[in-house]
Amino acid sequence: MNAEIKELATVDIKAAMRKEYIENELFLSKQFIKHTTPRYIKEITFYTMARNHVIHTFLSLTESEQTIQALRETKSPSQEYVELMNKHRAMRYPLAIKVKAEKSIYNDYTHVDYKRKAHFLDQALPTPSRRESVFNKLGGVLELLISWGWVAFWIIVILISIFQIAMIPH
């Protein structure tokens, strides 16, 4: 995903997906993969095919079905993908690339709010209320105090055991 598509996604996510789909199709139309093709080119091709399949599947859903969960769900590979896998007698690395592509497309088109809830890039993130932000800061301070207290406790325990070992007569 290039910077231009990322910028477009902040305004209109579906237009950005359509643009990426077209660019990926253009790239794939220029690729001709043989057995002697270097593996990194095969991986790029598998990655691009997987991203396009996710985009196509998502955009073909009805407007009400186009949710974050629908984008996150694992899709079965397209028929072209399976044929290319079989042609090159490769199974494990193309499937791993497919999973990687699905995760990256989800991360590329979403962002997370303060409650760790995902939203599409073209949606504004909710802002915490004053009360929530005060409780978040208070929780952070308490977490810091407890963790440093735990560290101090173990340092004291270690020091006491060292001194007790040193006090044992030889």
Side-chain angles (χ1 to χ4, degrees):
M1 173 183 231
N2 61 31
E4 184 182 334
I5 293 174
K6 188 83 161 174
E7 185 67 32
L8 180 59
T10 60
V11 179
D12 185 4
I13 203 149
K14 292 174 189 153
M17 285 182 169
R18 283 190 284 278
K19 183 171 180 146
E20 181 181 355
Y21 183 83
I22 291 168
E23 287 180 7
N24 289 347
E25 281 297 315
L26 184 63
F27 170 77
L28 291 172
S29 68
K30 294 177 182 177
Q31 290 298 319
F32 181 73
I33 297 181
K34 303 181 290 187
H35 284 292
T36 58
T37 304
R39 181 174 169 150
Y40 73 92
I41 293 175
K42 291 177 186 175
E43 289 177 356
I44 292 169
T45 304
F46 278 120
Y47 184 80
T48 305
M49 288 176 73
R51 279 186 74 96
N52 260 15
H53 181 63
V54 171
I55 291 171
H56 176 72
T57 304
F58 182 78
L59 291 177
S60 65
L61 297 172
T62 63
E63 188 77 30
S64 62
E65 294 174 328
Q66 291 178 348
T67 62
I68 294 218
Q69 189 59 31
L71 186 61
R72 175 179 245 161
E73 289 174 356
T74 303
K75 280 57 167 185
S76 59
S78 66
Q79 187 62 35
E80 295 172 323
Y81 200 85
V82 172
E83 288 171 5
L84 190 60
M85 285 172 40
N86 290 335
K87 179 181 173 184
H88 294 287
R89 288 183 234 115
M91 291 299 264
R92 203 163 68 207
Y93 84 88
L95 292 176
I97 289 171
K98 182 184 96 45
V99 170
K100 181 181 173 185
E102 289 173 346
K103 287 180 182 178
S104 74
I105 203 160
Y106 176 79
N107 291 332
D108 287 345
Y109 286 104
T110 61
H111 54 172
V112 180
D113 66 6
Y114 68 99
K115 290 184 178 180
R116 296 187 179 112
K117 183 178 178 196
H119 300 273
F120 286 118
L121 283 179
D122 59 354
Q123 297 174 339
L125 292 177
T127 57
S129 67
R130 181 165 167 76
R131 181 179 178 189
E132 288 174 325
S133 69
V134 167
F135 278 124
N136 283 341
K137 288 179 184 174
L138 184 62
V141 169
L142 283 174
E143 183 179 341
L144 183 70
L145 289 174
I146 290 171
S147 63
W148 278 106
W150 188 247
V151 169
F153 169 77
W154 281 108
I155 288 173
I156 291 170
V157 166
I158 291 169
L159 289 175
I160 289 173
S161 10
I162 289 172
F163 285 125
Q164 283 181 344
I165 291 173
M167 299 297 242
I168 298 175
H170 297 291

